[in-house]
Amino acid sequence: MQKSILYIAVSLDEVYECAYSILKYLEVYNLKPPVDHSLTIYTNYPELLEAYGSFFNRVELRSIPPNSDRQTIILEFKKEAHNVMFLDSNSYPVKQVDDSKSIECYKNLKEFKILLKDFFGRYQEESVPNQVKLIHNIDAKKIEKEKNSFENLPLTSKWFRKLVGRGWDISNYMVRI
């Protein structure tokens, strides 16, 4: 049965998040998505996402319709396709999308946008398989949990950790890439 994966990436930050999600998707499927999976992305930056389409049998990069919100786009798209899986730009698969609990979602992680901007600034020209390898160790949900854990420490503990160089900072993850 055909499964349509749908993304909506309005801003440049969302485009980078969408690209990260697609890289994670391709990693889950070892760069070979099932033939019955199609990819549709609504964006005003198609040139930044077109390289990922070559791994899918069917890909559509559509412009964002004027005066429409996400919900309207999703509802209109569901009229065209029956088995739709909408992935918000801050969501990414960690297992095959047919499995239960296969999607992770991170919220309020503005620092991750900085990491993605840096990553795609450096590696936009790399091949998609190389990008998948480079991003492999970066897990947004894990980063979010580590940040929240640090933020929940008492103030004195946070200060001490920062003083000794063990505080939480997104730059700690940039060296891994």
Side-chain angles (χ1 to χ4, degrees), residues 5-155:
I5 311 294
L6 174 65
Y7 288 98
I8 301 171
V10 179
S11 69
L12 195 53
D13 284 340
E14 288 175 339
V15 168
Y16 292 144
E17 289 176 324
C18 178
Y20 169 76
S21 181
I22 294 169
L23 288 173
K24 288 301 197 179
Y25 176 94
L26 291 171
E27 179 183 355
V28 165
Y29 287 101
N30 198 25
L31 299 171
K32 296 175 184 136
V35 293
D36 60 343
H37 285 199
S38 66
L39 177 66
T40 303
I41 307 170
Y42 283 86
T43 185
N44 291 328
Y45 301 94
E47 68 281 359
L48 297 176
L49 296 167
E50 63 189 358
Y52 307 108
S54 62
F55 292 86
F56 294 84
N57 282 343
R58 193 172 139 239
V59 178
E60 287 186 77
L61 296 169
R62 299 181 180 184
S63 295
I64 296 179
N67 303 320
S68 8
D69 60 2
R70 289 180 195 282
Q71 200 58 33
T72 305
I73 293 171
I74 294 167
L75 290 173
E76 288 298 315
F77 186 76
K78 283 185 175 182
K79 290 178 184 175
E80 295 175 33
H82 297 288
N83 191 7
V84 176
M85 179 178 190
F86 172 68
L87 288 175
D88 211 348
S89 63
N90 64 344
S91 302
Y92 60 99
V94 290
K95 294 179 186 169
Q96 294 187 358
V97 294
D98 297 326
D99 297 342
S100 62
K101 294 186 179 183
S102 61
I103 305 298
E104 288 285 359
C105 182
Y106 54 98
K107 297 178 175 126
N108 303 321
L109 192 57
K110 62 181 184 255
E111 298 89 352
F112 193 66
K113 293 176 184 183
I114 296 166
L115 185 139
L116 290 178
K117 186 176 182 181
D118 179 66
F119 176 83
F120 289 108
R122 286 196 274 166
Y123 301 115
Q124 187 71 39
E125 299 300 318
E126 280 286 338
S127 70
V128 173
N130 282 345
Q131 286 181 2
V132 169
K133 287 178 192 172
L134 290 165
I135 206 82
H136 170 73
N137 291 322
I138 302 301
D139 184 339
K141 190 65 177 177
K142 182 179 176 189
I143 292 171
E144 178 186 50
K145 286 178 183 175
E146 290 172 1
K147 177 190 175 193
N148 291 340
S149 165
F150 178 76
E151 293 295 324
N152 289 332
L153 289 173
L155 188 58

